Amino acid sequence: MDGQSEVQAMDADLARRLRRALTGSREELFITMQDPAPEVLHTALRNRALNELHLLALLKRRDLGEDLLRAIHQTENARQSHKVRRALIRHPHLPTSLLQTLLPLLHLFELLDICFLPGVAPDQKLAAERLIIQRLPTTPLGNKITLARRATATVVAELLKEGHPALMEPCLENPRLQEMAVARFLRGVRADAENISIIARHPRWKARKTLRTAILKHPRTPGIWFALWLPGMRGPEIIQLAASQRLTPSQKSWIKQEMRRRGLA
Protein backbone atom coordinates (compact mmCIF):
# COMPACT_ATOMS: atom_id res chain seq x y z
CA MET A 1 0.00 0.00 0.00
CA ASP A 2 1.46 3.36 -1.02
CA GLY A 3 1.48 6.48 1.14
CA GLN A 4 -1.67 7.96 -0.36
CA SER A 5 -3.57 4.74 0.18
CA GLU A 6 -2.45 4.62 3.82
CA VAL A 7 -3.72 8.15 4.38
CA GLN A 8 -7.03 7.31 2.77
CA ALA A 9 -7.36 4.19 4.93
CA MET A 10 -6.57 6.21 8.06
CA ASP A 11 -9.08 8.88 7.10
CA ALA A 12 -11.71 6.24 6.49
CA ASP A 13 -11.02 4.62 9.84
CA LEU A 14 -11.24 7.97 11.65
CA ALA A 15 -14.48 8.78 9.85
CA ARG A 16 -15.91 5.43 10.93
CA ARG A 17 -14.93 6.04 14.55
CA LEU A 18 -16.36 9.57 14.48
CA ARG A 19 -19.63 8.25 13.10
CA ARG A 20 -19.80 5.57 15.78
CA ALA A 21 -19.00 8.17 18.44
CA LEU A 22 -21.91 10.33 17.33
CA THR A 23 -24.53 7.69 16.57
CA GLY A 24 -23.38 4.50 18.29
CA SER A 25 -25.40 2.60 20.87
CA ARG A 26 -24.81 2.73 24.61
CA GLU A 27 -22.70 -0.43 24.39
CA GLU A 28 -20.61 0.98 21.53
CA LEU A 29 -20.01 4.18 23.46
CA PHE A 30 -18.09 2.28 26.13
CA ILE A 31 -15.67 1.20 23.39
CA THR A 32 -15.47 4.77 22.09
CA MET A 33 -14.50 6.01 25.56
CA GLN A 34 -11.16 4.26 25.06
CA ASP A 35 -10.45 5.86 21.70
CA PRO A 36 -7.05 7.65 21.55
CA ALA A 37 -8.26 10.52 19.33
CA PRO A 38 -9.49 13.63 21.21
CA GLU A 39 -11.79 14.55 18.32
CA VAL A 40 -13.55 11.20 18.64
CA LEU A 41 -14.06 11.73 22.37
CA HIS A 42 -15.36 15.26 21.83
CA THR A 43 -17.82 13.91 19.28
CA ALA A 44 -18.99 11.20 21.67
CA LEU A 45 -20.09 13.88 24.13
CA ARG A 46 -22.81 14.85 21.64
CA ASN A 47 -24.20 11.31 21.38
CA ARG A 48 -27.80 11.16 22.66
CA ALA A 49 -27.09 7.78 24.25
CA LEU A 50 -24.36 9.25 26.45
CA ASN A 51 -25.01 8.77 30.17
CA GLU A 52 -23.33 9.01 33.56
CA LEU A 53 -21.64 5.60 33.28
CA HIS A 54 -19.92 6.54 30.02
CA LEU A 55 -18.50 9.72 31.54
CA LEU A 56 -17.32 7.91 34.66
CA ALA A 57 -15.54 5.37 32.45
CA LEU A 58 -13.96 8.18 30.43
CA LEU A 59 -12.81 10.08 33.52
CA LYS A 60 -10.84 7.07 34.71
CA ARG A 61 -8.38 7.88 31.93
CA ARG A 62 -5.46 10.05 33.03
CA ASP A 63 -4.51 11.16 29.52
CA LEU A 64 -7.44 13.57 29.04
CA GLY A 65 -6.60 17.18 28.17
CA GLU A 66 -8.04 20.32 29.71
CA ASP A 67 -10.21 21.04 26.66
CA LEU A 68 -11.94 17.68 26.93
CA LEU A 69 -12.43 18.06 30.68
CA ARG A 70 -14.06 21.44 30.09
CA ALA A 71 -16.31 19.87 27.47
CA ILE A 72 -17.31 17.09 29.89
CA HIS A 73 -18.14 19.71 32.51
CA GLN A 74 -20.52 21.40 30.10
CA THR A 75 -22.57 18.24 29.40
CA GLU A 76 -26.02 17.80 30.89
CA ASN A 77 -24.86 14.61 32.60
CA ALA A 78 -22.11 16.47 34.43
CA ARG A 79 -24.54 19.16 35.58
CA GLN A 80 -26.95 16.55 36.96
CA SER A 81 -24.59 13.88 38.30
CA HIS A 82 -22.75 14.33 41.57
CA LYS A 83 -20.62 11.29 40.76
CA VAL A 84 -19.43 12.86 37.51
CA ARG A 85 -18.62 16.16 39.22
CA ARG A 86 -16.68 14.26 41.88
CA ALA A 87 -14.76 12.30 39.22
CA LEU A 88 -13.93 15.55 37.42
CA ILE A 89 -12.54 17.06 40.61
CA ARG A 90 -10.35 14.00 41.14
CA HIS A 91 -8.83 14.24 37.66
CA PRO A 92 -5.20 15.44 37.82
CA HIS A 93 -5.51 17.64 34.71
CA LEU A 94 -8.62 19.56 35.76
CA PRO A 95 -8.03 23.33 35.23
CA THR A 96 -7.88 25.38 38.42
CA SER A 97 -10.80 27.53 37.29
CA LEU A 98 -13.06 24.47 37.04
CA LEU A 99 -11.79 23.14 40.34
CA GLN A 100 -12.84 26.33 42.09
CA THR A 101 -16.28 26.03 40.51
CA LEU A 102 -16.81 22.37 41.42
CA LEU A 103 -15.27 22.05 44.89
CA PRO A 104 -18.07 23.93 46.70
CA LEU A 105 -20.52 21.32 45.37
CA LEU A 106 -18.85 18.51 47.32
CA HIS A 107 -19.97 17.22 50.71
CA LEU A 108 -17.79 17.84 53.77
CA PHE A 109 -16.04 14.48 53.89
CA GLU A 110 -15.66 14.39 50.12
CA LEU A 111 -13.66 17.58 50.48
CA LEU A 112 -11.53 15.85 53.09
CA ASP A 113 -10.95 12.92 50.73
CA ILE A 114 -9.61 15.37 48.14
CA CYS A 115 -6.91 16.43 50.62
CA PHE A 116 -5.56 12.88 50.76
CA LEU A 117 -5.70 11.93 47.08
CA PRO A 118 -2.36 10.54 45.85
CA GLY A 119 -0.59 13.23 43.88
CA VAL A 120 -3.09 15.94 44.81
CA ALA A 121 -1.80 19.38 43.82
CA PRO A 122 -1.05 21.79 46.70
CA ASP A 123 -3.58 24.33 45.40
CA GLN A 124 -6.29 21.62 45.27
CA LYS A 125 -5.58 20.59 48.86
CA LEU A 126 -5.50 24.20 50.05
CA ALA A 127 -8.79 25.01 48.32
CA ALA A 128 -10.48 21.96 49.87
CA GLU A 129 -9.16 22.83 53.35
CA ARG A 130 -10.42 26.39 53.07
CA LEU A 131 -13.91 25.19 52.18
CA ILE A 132 -13.94 22.75 55.11
CA ILE A 133 -12.91 25.50 57.52
CA GLN A 134 -15.56 27.84 56.11
CA ARG A 135 -18.22 25.21 56.85
CA LEU A 136 -17.12 24.50 60.43
CA PRO A 137 -19.48 27.05 62.08
CA THR A 138 -22.51 25.18 60.70
CA THR A 139 -21.11 21.64 60.97
CA PRO A 140 -22.84 19.38 63.57
CA LEU A 141 -20.71 18.38 66.56
CA GLY A 142 -20.78 14.69 65.61
CA ASN A 143 -19.29 15.46 62.20
CA LYS A 144 -16.70 17.71 63.81
CA ILE A 145 -15.61 14.86 66.08
CA THR A 146 -15.16 12.55 63.09
CA LEU A 147 -13.38 15.33 61.23
CA ALA A 148 -11.07 15.93 64.19
CA ARG A 149 -9.91 12.31 64.06
CA ARG A 150 -9.28 12.28 60.31
CA ALA A 151 -8.52 15.84 59.21
CA THR A 152 -5.36 17.41 57.86
CA ALA A 153 -3.01 19.36 60.13
CA THR A 154 -4.56 22.66 59.04
CA VAL A 155 -8.16 21.59 59.68
CA VAL A 156 -7.51 19.81 62.99
CA ALA A 157 -5.67 22.89 64.27
CA GLU A 158 -8.75 24.96 63.44
CA LEU A 159 -10.99 22.50 65.29
CA LEU A 160 -8.70 22.55 68.32
CA LYS A 161 -9.08 26.35 68.48
CA GLU A 162 -12.76 25.89 69.32
CA GLY A 163 -11.81 24.42 72.70
CA HIS A 164 -14.96 22.28 72.86
CA PRO A 165 -14.44 19.51 75.46
CA ALA A 166 -15.82 16.86 73.09
CA LEU A 167 -13.31 17.85 70.41
CA MET A 168 -10.19 17.93 72.55
CA GLU A 169 -9.40 14.20 72.70
CA PRO A 170 -10.10 13.51 69.00
CA CYS A 171 -7.94 16.47 68.01
CA LEU A 172 -5.10 15.48 70.32
CA GLU A 173 -5.22 11.89 69.01
CA ASN A 174 -4.98 13.00 65.38
CA PRO A 175 -1.45 12.02 64.23
CA ARG A 176 -1.31 15.07 61.95
CA LEU A 177 -1.81 17.60 64.75
CA GLN A 178 1.39 19.60 65.20
CA GLU A 179 2.89 20.74 68.49
CA MET A 180 2.85 24.39 67.39
CA ALA A 181 -0.95 24.18 67.02
CA VAL A 182 -1.30 22.92 70.60
CA ALA A 183 1.02 25.67 71.85
CA ARG A 184 -1.01 28.25 69.93
CA PHE A 185 -4.21 26.94 71.52
CA LEU A 186 -2.68 27.25 74.99
CA ARG A 187 -2.04 30.93 74.30
CA GLY A 188 -5.62 31.50 73.14
CA VAL A 189 -8.74 32.62 74.97
CA ARG A 190 -10.49 29.21 74.67
CA ALA A 191 -7.97 27.43 76.88
CA ASP A 192 -9.65 26.79 80.25
CA ALA A 193 -8.87 24.60 83.25
CA GLU A 194 -10.70 21.59 81.78
CA ASN A 195 -9.09 21.42 78.38
CA ILE A 196 -5.68 22.49 79.73
CA SER A 197 -5.84 19.43 81.97
CA ILE A 198 -6.88 17.25 79.02
CA ILE A 199 -3.65 18.27 77.26
CA ALA A 200 -1.59 17.86 80.44
CA ARG A 201 -2.88 14.30 80.93
CA HIS A 202 -2.53 13.22 77.31
CA PRO A 203 0.23 10.61 76.82
CA ARG A 204 1.32 12.10 73.50
CA TRP A 205 1.65 15.69 74.67
CA LYS A 206 2.25 15.72 78.44
CA ALA A 207 6.01 15.15 78.19
CA ARG A 208 6.65 17.92 75.63
CA LYS A 209 8.82 20.47 77.41
CA THR A 210 7.53 23.44 75.42
CA LEU A 211 3.92 22.53 76.16
CA ARG A 212 4.58 21.90 79.86
CA THR A 213 6.08 25.38 80.11
CA ALA A 214 3.10 26.90 78.27
CA ILE A 215 0.70 25.06 80.59
CA LEU A 216 2.50 26.18 83.75
CA LYS A 217 2.50 29.80 82.54
CA HIS A 218 -1.25 29.79 81.91
CA PRO A 219 -3.32 31.59 84.57
CA ARG A 220 -6.10 28.97 84.28
CA THR A 221 -3.90 25.94 84.88
CA PRO A 222 -5.09 23.99 87.97
CA GLY A 223 -2.67 23.73 90.91
CA ILE A 224 -2.38 19.95 90.55
CA TRP A 225 -0.03 20.38 87.59
CA PHE A 226 2.28 22.62 89.58
CA ALA A 227 2.34 20.00 92.34
CA LEU A 228 3.12 17.20 89.88
CA TRP A 229 5.60 18.91 87.57
CA LEU A 230 7.57 21.43 89.61
CA PRO A 231 9.59 18.78 91.52
CA GLY A 232 10.91 17.43 88.20
CA MET A 233 12.00 20.78 86.80
CA ARG A 234 15.52 22.20 86.94
CA GLY A 235 16.20 25.18 89.18
CA PRO A 236 16.79 27.71 86.35
CA GLU A 237 13.51 26.64 84.74
CA ILE A 238 11.61 27.30 87.96
CA ILE A 239 13.26 30.70 88.38
CA GLN A 240 12.33 31.61 84.82
CA LEU A 241 8.75 30.38 85.40
CA ALA A 242 8.49 32.52 88.54
CA ALA A 243 9.17 35.62 86.44
CA SER A 244 6.06 35.09 84.28
CA GLN A 245 3.59 37.97 84.47
CA ARG A 246 0.60 35.74 83.70
CA LEU A 247 0.62 33.71 86.92
CA THR A 248 -2.12 34.04 89.52
CA PRO A 249 -1.26 34.54 93.23
CA SER A 250 -2.04 30.89 94.04
CA GLN A 251 0.18 29.70 91.19
CA LYS A 252 3.01 31.94 92.37
CA SER A 253 2.56 30.44 95.83
CA TRP A 254 3.15 26.91 94.46
CA ILE A 255 6.34 28.08 92.75
CA LYS A 256 7.65 29.93 95.80
CA GLN A 257 7.09 26.85 97.95
CA GLU A 258 9.18 24.76 95.52
CA MET A 259 11.89 27.44 95.41
CA ARG A 260 12.07 27.53 99.21
CA ARG A 261 12.27 23.75 99.34
CA ARG A 262 15.30 23.87 97.07
CA GLY A 263 16.86 26.92 98.65
CA LEU A 264 16.32 29.04 95.54
CA ALA A 265 14.32 31.78 97.24
Side-chain angles (χ1 to χ4, degrees):
M1 181 180 294
D2 58 28
Q4 184 177 358
S5 298
E6 288 182 5
V7 170
Q8 290 175 344
M10 291 173 59
D11 288 346
D13 179 62
L14 179 59
R16 178 185 58 79
R17 285 153 49 206
L18 287 168
R19 184 168 57 252
R20 184 177 66 179
L22 185 61
T23 64
S25 66
R26 291 184 179 183
E27 291 73 21
E28 290 175 318
L29 269 178
F30 282 111
I31 299 173
T32 298
M33 292 301 122
Q34 303 307 315
D35 198 287
E39 59 265 42
V40 172
L41 297 176
H42 276 275
T43 300
L45 297 181
R46 307 203 312 267
N47 190 312
R48 292 183 178 181
L50 184 76
N51 63 28
E52 174 189 79
L53 295 178
H54 298 119
L55 292 180
L56 292 175
L58 178 58
L59 287 167
K60 289 180 181 178
R61 294 177 54 171
R62 291 297 177 255
D63 59 343
L64 306 182
E66 289 189 3
D67 287 346
L68 185 59
L69 292 171
R70 291 182 188 277
I72 293 172
H73 174 250
Q74 292 171 357
T75 64
E76 186 66 24
N77 283 290
R79 287 194 291 268
Q80 294 182 355
S81 171
H82 187 77
K83 290 182 180 179
V84 172
R85 291 196 297 265
R86 188 170 58 193
L88 271 168
I89 290 170
R90 289 170 173 263
H91 200 283
H93 299 151
L94 186 73
T96 301
S97 58
L98 277 188
L99 177 72
Q100 293 173 345
T101 299
L102 291 170
L103 272 181
L105 303 177
L106 291 187
H107 304 310
L108 181 70
F109 290 103
E110 289 174 336
L111 287 169
L112 184 61
D113 289 341
I114 294 296
C115 298
F116 297 118
L117 281 179
V120 63
D123 60 334
Q124 289 179 313
K125 180 179 179 182
L126 180 60
E129 286 177 328
R130 284 177 176 171
L131 283 170
I132 293 171
I133 291 171
Q134 287 173 12
R135 295 184 189 182
L136 290 182
T138 57
T139 298
L141 180 59
N143 286 350
K144 285 184 179 181
I145 292 172
T146 302
L147 198 59
R149 294 192 179 103
R150 295 172 46 192
T152 63
T154 301
V155 175
V156 72
E158 199 68 26
L159 285 164
L160 185 66
K161 285 182 186 178
E162 295 188 14
H164 194 292
L167 292 176
M168 293 300 297
E169 287 287 354
C171 285
L172 295 173
E173 291 290 340
N174 187 316
R176 301 176 189 89
L177 181 66
Q178 298 175 354
E179 182 174 327
M180 67 177 69
V182 183
R184 192 180 305 118
F185 170 75
L186 288 168
R187 295 193 296 269
V189 296
R190 299 291 179 88
D192 57 24
E194 181 180 3
N195 48 39
I196 288 173
S197 291
I198 291 173
I199 296 171
R201 288 193 301 266
H202 198 279
R204 179 183 172 193
W205 304 106
K206 65 182 181 181
R208 308 274 179 118
K209 184 177 178 181
T210 302
L211 297 184
R212 277 199 174 193
T213 301
I215 288 171
L216 291 177
K217 286 183 177 181
H218 202 289
R220 295 174 183 164
T221 297
I224 182 63
W225 301 110
F226 289 85
L228 289 174
W229 289 351
L230 286 177
M233 294 176 66
R234 295 184 296 111
E237 293 173 337
I238 295 178
I239 294 172
Q240 184 180 23
L241 179 62
S244 174
Q245 301 298 314
R246 300 185 67 196
L247 298 173
T248 65
S250 60
Q251 291 172 333
K252 290 180 180 179
S253 176
W254 280 100
I255 296 172
K256 288 179 180 178
Q257 288 180 32
E258 182 64 23
M259 292 176 70
R260 284 195 295 268
R261 187 182 70 82
R262 300 191 190 192
L264 298 173

